[in-house]
Every structure is written in C-alpha cells, then in structure tokens.
Amino acid sequence: TLGGKAGRGMKPEVNLGPYEMVIGLETHVQLRTKTKLFCSCATSFGAEPNTQVCPVCMGLPGALPVVNAHAVRLAALAGLALEARIHPVSRFDRKHYFYPDLPKGYQISQFFHPLCQGGRLVIQTGAGPKVVGITRIHMEEDAGKLLHGGEAGSLLDLNRCGVPLIEIVTDPDIAGPQEACAYLRKLRAVLTCAGVSDCRMNEGSLRCDVNLSLRKPGALLGVRTEIKNLNSFQSVERAIWAEAARQAEALRRGEPILRETRRFDPVTGRTYAMRMKESTQEYCFFPEPDLPPVLLRPETVKDLRASLPILPDARTERFMTVFGLSPYVAEQLTQRRWLADYFEETACLAHNPVSVANILLGEVFALLKARQGEETDGIPVAPRRLAALSDLVSGGQVNSSAGKRILAALFEEDFEPWEYARSFDLLLLREERALREAVSRALEENPAMVAAYRGGKSSVEQALMGKAMALTGGKAEPEMLKKLLREALQEQTT
C-alpha cells in the first residue's frame, strides 16, 4: 500500500561497560508572543541584525522593564499542560554573568520563586510508558547571538535579547539518548498543541542543554557534565552518545569526571570543555529590583486550564479508539497539532482511516521533507482530496505506484484524484470478464507451467500471475486477478 513508517536512528557502537546513563534536560522554549518579555520590540525570526532592539533590551542606563502579561499567561499554560503547580506569586531575579551577547551584564530570570513547580510528562519507551518528572518551569529573557567567522571576525546581533523564554528542567529520570529524544518530541507535541510555542528547533525556539553522568546500577549519582545549546534531535542523540563514551573511557582509566560545561562539535562528533563549574550554583542571583511580583489570580488559572485543547495523550487514545490506529501511528500523528487536525478531518471523509494514516506518515511526509526539510507546518493538499486518494488506493482502484504519482501531482495543483486517474489511464482493471480472459490466455500460452503446477510445483503460480498481469498491461486489480487465476488452476487439476 501507499505509505509506511518513518525510519529510526541507529545506535552507534558505544561500550559503556558496567555503567548506565543518568540524564536530566534543561529545555529553553521561546514563547509565542509578538513582542519581547520586557519591552515592545518584535520577536519575528530572520530580521536584519540589530533592527529589533531598544534601550530596554540593550540594557541602556535608565531603561526600565515592563512584564509582558501575555507571556506570563503562556508560561502558566505550559505549566498546566505539563501538570505543574502554578504559583499565585512568582518573582524575577537577576542572573549575573559576563558574556559579550549579554549587554546588561545580567539576565532577568526566575530563581528563588519560579512560576511553576513540579509536573510530569509520559513518554513511550521500549519497556512501555515512562514518567519523566519536571522539577520546575521558570520564565527568563533570552540573550543575544554571536556570529563568528569571516573577515569581520565575531559580530553581535542583539535581536534575540529580551525574547521571552521558559526553561523546563527535568528530574534526572532519563536513561539514554532514545528516551531524551522521546521526551523532547513529546514536549514539542504538548507545547505546540497548547499554543505556547511553535518549537521550531531550526529557528532556535526550542533548544536543549543535557546534564549527563554515569554510574553503576544502584549506585549513587556520578559527577555530571552539561552539554550546552543543542538544537536538533540528531545533535542531542549524538552528543549524549559522545559524552557517555568519553566519561566511560575516563572512568576505565581511573580519571576523575570534572563538573564542567561542554559543547558538542557535530563535525568531529566529540564534546569539548568550555568552562568549569566550581560550585553547584555558578551564578550570582539577587531579586530584580525594577520588577514587582507576578500575581496570577485563581480565576485566571482556572480560565487558562479551561482553554487547554485536547492534548496529545488524550488525542492518541482517541485515534486508537475511533480510527483503529496502532499506538505508534497514533502517537506519530499527534506530534503536531496541525497534523492531528489534518488527519482527523481527512479520516472523517475517508472510508479507511488506517490508509489515510499510512499515506500521511509515508509518502506525504517524504514529499514534505524533500521540499521543506524537517520543519513544516502544513500540507498543500486539501483533506477531501487526500481522502479521495486514500479511497482509490485502499479500494483497489489504483495501485501504489499510481497513488504516489497522483499525490505528487496534488502537491502542485488541485484536482479530483479519480478524474486524474481516469485521464491518465491509471485506474486498475476490475472487470471480471476481461480478467478471466487474461487468465485463460496466460494458461493457454504457457502449457509447461500449467503442467508443472499439476505436478505439484505450486511456486509456478506466481510466474503465471506475472504472465496474466502482463496481458492486462499491468492494470489488473491484483487480488481479483489472483483469485481468478487460483480458481482456474484448481479447475486444471481436478
């Protein structure tokens, strides 16, 4: 049939010996606002460098921040979607450190009194469902961006300064790169469904830091390192394997693991030390004096909870129950809200929802990836057209090859799939009389094969099937042709 399942990454050859991984993730998610967290500058992606800045986000003397109320509501909505506790009172703090992309010399964040605490996210593993605990969710502003290379050296773009973020910190519940990627994909599905963020990793609106240590099973936690700023699922998986292999080799040699921040180089496939972490808390925090506490009334939280759409877990269950999808397929279709909406609308118009799901996860996504890469937010085919194509394929009116041809054409222009199949002579031959004639001719023209079949060589049936199919120009409906051929062969042997 037209369609299939997406491939999965291969595990590299990494021998950890007697050790197991313990991983916690810190995920930075850009909130879906039009303006920054403390000023009215735009947050649109791809603007010319340093064109979306003002005295507030540049940290000029005398400029005062004002909290973006919509950003606070989105952050609280994320907490509710992740089953966290929403604190009625939270506060901002100054996180002091020096870096060229931080013009104020500090970042406004939440440390002592975060907006959300606790929470959980259920992921699917090879051993079944697993709960990943969430320690906290806090709000903060983004820093700028350094652009390295070229004759100009390193350049500074402050457009991202002040962009609203939430940082989601997990408990150390993740046991390997597959679970880490499963968590990130599920997190992206939940947050995009809730409308909190678009979570476009290629645009930096979803970024991940990995905290990783090794230990022997049942032992105390080992010394952890942090791998910063990973912005693709592949980078997360590769970085975890690389750092785990480095730590395992160091432990085998009797070398200590240093608590440090590292970066992953995708070219070499190795991690490199950036700086040491001399203490558990490496930054200096104190309360932000220019901002009052953030107050969230109970009725506001109640309204936010009521506004949550049906989330991926519930929708996965619905797709399994209503449309008969497997757990894997249902979960894949709920990874993005727009995809789940598209599938549901299409499935309600089609005779075979499973066929719709197979086409979406197979050929549709192959075409999307070829044209738009990994990140996409829509399918250029109307749901009613895809439903009609699905019915043609699942009903045996066109074969897989013709279905792919029709789908590719639908990506370019809108038309009725059945009319296209008729116009280009793609419809399968289903007329019984014509098929019986093809079977009769195949048997008459290949008496040696028929004799071999009578002699007990049943494998000849497939060769005769090919002969009969060729006589129809490859247009026969396969199951009907096979049935009629088998009946004819049985008559020959009785």
Side-chain angles (χ1 to χ4, degrees):
T1 61
L2 182 66
K5 293 184 179 180
R8 301 193 181 202
M10 297 294 291
K11 175 182 174 180
E13 293 298 323
V14 176
N15 179 18
L16 299 182
Y19 302 104
E20 64 180 10
M21 298 185 218
V22 179
I23 297 169
L25 299 180
E26 300 172 9
T27 309
H28 293 85
V29 179
Q30 180 178 332
L31 297 174
R32 197 170 186 174
T33 62
K34 293 182 178 180
T35 57
K36 295 184 180 180
L37 186 52
F38 302 116
C39 66
S40 59
C41 290
T43 59
S44 54
F45 177 79
E48 287 295 315
N50 300 309
T51 58
Q52 298 181 164
V53 293
C54 72
V56 174
C57 50
M58 292 177 68
L60 299 183
L64 293 175
V66 177
V67 176
N68 184 332
H70 183 54
V72 175
R73 287 191 291 270
L74 288 177
L77 197 64
L80 292 171
L82 296 170
E83 302 181 45
R85 299 187 305 277
I86 311 301
H87 291 156
V89 180
S90 60
R91 292 181 172 85
F92 284 100
D93 307 289
R94 290 187 179 184
K95 177 181 179 180
H96 286 266
Y97 63 96
F98 172 78
Y99 206 69
D101 63 6
L102 197 67
K104 292 196 291 283
Y106 62 86
Q107 178 187 27
I108 301 178
S109 182
Q110 291 183 321
F111 179 68
F112 298 107
H113 303 282
L115 180 67
C116 311
Q117 205 118 29
R120 66 200 290 271
L121 192 66
V122 181
I123 63 172
Q124 296 298 323
T125 71
K130 178 176 182 176
V131 176
V132 176
I134 292 173
T135 308
R136 57 186 275 148
I137 303 172
H138 63 263
M139 300 184 69
E140 64 184 21
E141 62 176 340
D142 206 349
K145 184 177 182 180
L146 282 171
L147 307 173
H148 301 289
E151 296 181 358
S154 293
L155 302 176
L156 179 59
D157 180 9
L158 298 180
N159 279 350
R160 288 196 67 88
C161 281
V163 166
L165 305 176
I166 50 173
E167 182 173 347
I168 304 170
V169 183
T170 75
D171 299 339
D173 291 340
I174 296 170
Q178 290 84 6
E179 289 188 10
C181 288
Y183 167 85
L184 290 171
R185 291 183 187 278
K186 186 64 170 292
L187 182 67
R188 181 180 68 173
V190 170
L191 296 181
T192 54
C193 178
V196 169
S197 172
D198 58 27
C199 291
R200 292 180 178 273
M201 298 186 83
N202 62 325
E203 295 182 2
S205 57
L206 177 64
R207 312 190 298 272
C208 180
D209 300 339
V210 174
N211 291 288
L212 184 149
S213 65
L214 298 185
R215 69 174 178 185
K216 292 182 179 179
L220 297 175
L221 294 176
V223 177
R224 75 175 187 267
T225 59
E226 181 183 35
I227 312 167
K228 296 288 286 185
N229 292 329
L230 302 169
N231 61 359
S232 73
F233 298 118
Q234 184 184 60
S235 292
V236 169
E237 185 170 2
R238 292 181 64 203
I240 289 174
W241 280 123
E243 179 59 13
R246 185 194 71 83
Q247 289 190 22
E249 181 62 24
L251 292 171
R252 278 193 288 267
R253 294 177 179 175
E255 300 171 358
I257 303 299
L258 303 178
R259 191 167 184 275
E260 59 189 0
T261 298
R262 303 180 68 85
R263 71 177 182 88
F264 173 69
D265 187 336
V267 176
T268 64
R270 299 173 59 188
T271 67
Y272 297 89
M274 294 173 61
R275 61 179 182 271
M276 291 294 298
K277 289 178 176 282
E278 297 180 358
S279 62
T280 300
Q281 182 50 53
E282 60 179 325
Y283 303 106
C284 175
F285 286 89
F286 69 78
E288 169 58 65
D290 292 333
L291 290 168
V294 176
L295 307 178
L296 272 179
R297 296 183 177 88
E299 55 268 27
T300 302
V301 176
K302 182 180 179 181
D303 290 343
L304 288 171
R305 191 185 301 276
S307 72
L308 278 173
I310 180 171
L311 294 174
D313 280 347
R315 208 162 196 189
T316 295
E317 188 66 31
R318 169 177 162 75
F319 284 1
M320 292 165 57
T321 303
V322 176
F323 299 117
L325 303 186
S326 70
Y328 172 80
V329 170
E331 186 176 35
Q332 294 303 302
L333 291 172
T334 56
Q335 295 251 330
R336 293 295 185 94
R337 182 176 176 178
W338 67 264
L339 176 59
D341 291 342
Y342 183 94
F343 166 75
E344 187 155 8
E345 183 178 352
T346 306
C348 289
L349 297 171
H351 293 119
N352 189 338
V354 174
S355 171
V356 173
N358 288 337
I359 292 173
L360 277 173
L361 294 182
E363 193 64 23
V364 168
F365 266 68
L367 288 170
L368 287 174
K369 186 175 181 180
R371 295 171 185 229
Q372 302 175 26
E374 293 290 343
E375 297 288 348
T376 182
D377 57 4
I379 297 170
V381 179
R384 62 191 178 93
R385 299 302 194 202
L386 194 71
L389 174 59
S390 170
D391 289 346
L392 286 178
V393 175
S394 64
Q397 292 177 276
V398 298
N399 60 25
S400 174
S401 177
K404 292 179 181 181
R405 176 177 169 180
I406 296 170
L407 181 63
L410 280 169
F411 265 63
E412 303 298 334
E413 58 180 314
D414 182 58
F415 53 79
E416 169 55 52
W418 188 89
E419 288 292 342
Y420 184 97
R422 185 184 61 80
S423 299
F424 288 91
D425 199 21
L426 300 176
L427 292 171
L428 292 177
L429 179 62
R430 299 175 61 86
E431 203 274 309
E432 186 172 335
R433 180 179 176 182
L435 295 180
R436 286 190 183 278
E437 290 178 358
V439 168
S440 297
R441 281 189 59 192
L443 298 183
E444 290 172 3
E445 294 174 4
N446 298 278
M449 289 186 182
V450 175
Y453 183 86
R454 286 175 178 167
K457 193 174 182 181
S458 59
S459 60
V460 174
E461 182 182 344
Q462 189 61 37
L464 286 168
M465 177 74 176
K467 298 290 186 181
M469 180 65 78
L471 290 171
T472 69
K475 295 177 182 178
E477 200 286 314
E479 292 304 317
M480 286 187 65
L481 187 66
K482 183 186 293 186
K483 176 177 175 293
L484 294 173
L485 175 63
R486 188 159 293 172
E487 290 175 357
L489 287 171
Q490 287 174 352
E491 290 177 1
Q492 292 277 346
T493 57
T494 56

